[in-house]
Amino acid sequence: MTTKKKLKITFNAPVVLSLAAISFIATLLNYVTGGASGRVLFMTYHSSLSSPMTWIRAFTHIFGHADWTHLIGNMSYLLLLGPMLEEKYSSQTLAGVIAVTAVVTSVINYIFFPGIALCGASGVVFAFILLSSFTEFREGEIPVTFILVAVFFLGQQIYDGITVQDNISNMAHIVGGIIGGLLGYGLNKKPGVE
């Protein structure tokens, strides 16, 4: 006689699920406070470098989203790609990828786009997209999937950045994609091999 195993829900990707949960709470708080919490905590913009909040927002802006559609779009990609990446690279490494992407996009936005506020996990999404194309990486090879993803996703962002006027930060997408591509290559390169 065989016994049936009970199905259980598992917390399979703690970093990705935490990012999604914090982003949901941040977006909800933004609605409840009429946008005040977003401006204070979940949006990066040109402010005094001596203010601790400038540096905190360099990380936390990835949790804030303009609206529910923005949140759902980003979380769909993160929840699709994140668990696979977290399993392959570890929770700690993926948290590092997220932190690096957040800070680099914030600093670039601060320097080159001083009049524009930035919020959302789009840069992280593009880092994940390019990073995921390295899942089957072998030393001395460049995956065709990486080339195609770079051409389609980043090419579209460059085109949109030049031709479309909207509230979407193509810079964050492009920078996130570059970070994901560089880290994907670096994380999969065997030490001591040139």
Side-chain angles (χ1 to χ4, degrees):
M1 181 199 268
T2 40
T3 58
K4 288 186 178 183
K5 255 188 160 179
K6 290 185 179 180
L7 292 176
K8 63 180 181 176
I9 296 173
T10 59
F11 198 68
N12 62 321
V15 169
V16 172
L17 291 170
S18 296
L19 174 60
I22 295 167
S23 295
F24 175 80
I25 292 166
T27 304
L28 182 61
L29 277 173
N30 198 43
Y31 271 95
V32 170
T33 64
S37 67
R39 286 186 296 278
V40 172
L41 291 172
F42 306 114
M43 187 179 292
T44 186
Y45 45 85
H46 206 272
S47 56
S48 172
L49 291 175
S50 64
S51 169
M53 289 308 297
T54 298
W55 299 104
I56 290 169
R57 286 189 297 263
F59 291 96
T60 61
H61 74 275
I62 63 170
F63 302 122
H65 288 80
D67 55 33
W68 294 110
T69 303
H70 186 207
L71 174 77
I72 291 167
N74 281 338
M75 293 308 111
S76 298
Y77 278 106
L78 287 173
L79 292 169
L80 178 67
L81 299 170
M84 168 192 64
L85 295 172
E86 196 163 341
E87 182 178 332
K88 177 174 173 64
Y89 296 110
S90 82
S91 296
Q92 184 177 358
T93 299
L94 201 62
V97 169
I98 292 167
V100 166
T101 304
V103 170
V104 171
T105 55
S106 179
V107 168
I108 290 173
N109 189 71
Y110 187 92
I111 294 169
F112 295 106
F113 304 98
I116 297 175
L118 181 67
C119 70
S122 301
V124 175
V125 166
F126 274 78
F128 279 18
I129 289 169
L130 272 287
L131 186 60
S132 69
S133 66
F134 277 95
T135 55
E136 295 297 319
F137 178 80
R138 288 174 192 74
E139 193 63 44
E141 299 177 358
I142 297 176
V144 171
T145 53
F146 169 76
I147 295 167
L148 293 175
V149 166
V151 168
F152 289 129
F153 277 93
L154 295 181
Q156 179 68 43
Q157 294 310 306
I158 292 168
Y159 175 79
D160 286 352
I162 294 169
T163 63
V164 179
Q165 295 296 328
D166 57 18
N167 285 331
I168 296 172
S169 176
N170 300 100
M171 174 280 297
H173 298 174
I174 294 165
V175 171
I178 290 169
I179 291 169
L182 292 173
L183 291 176
Y185 180 78
L187 289 169
N188 287 287
K189 192 173 188 314
K190 293 190 176 27
V193 179
E194 294 292 322

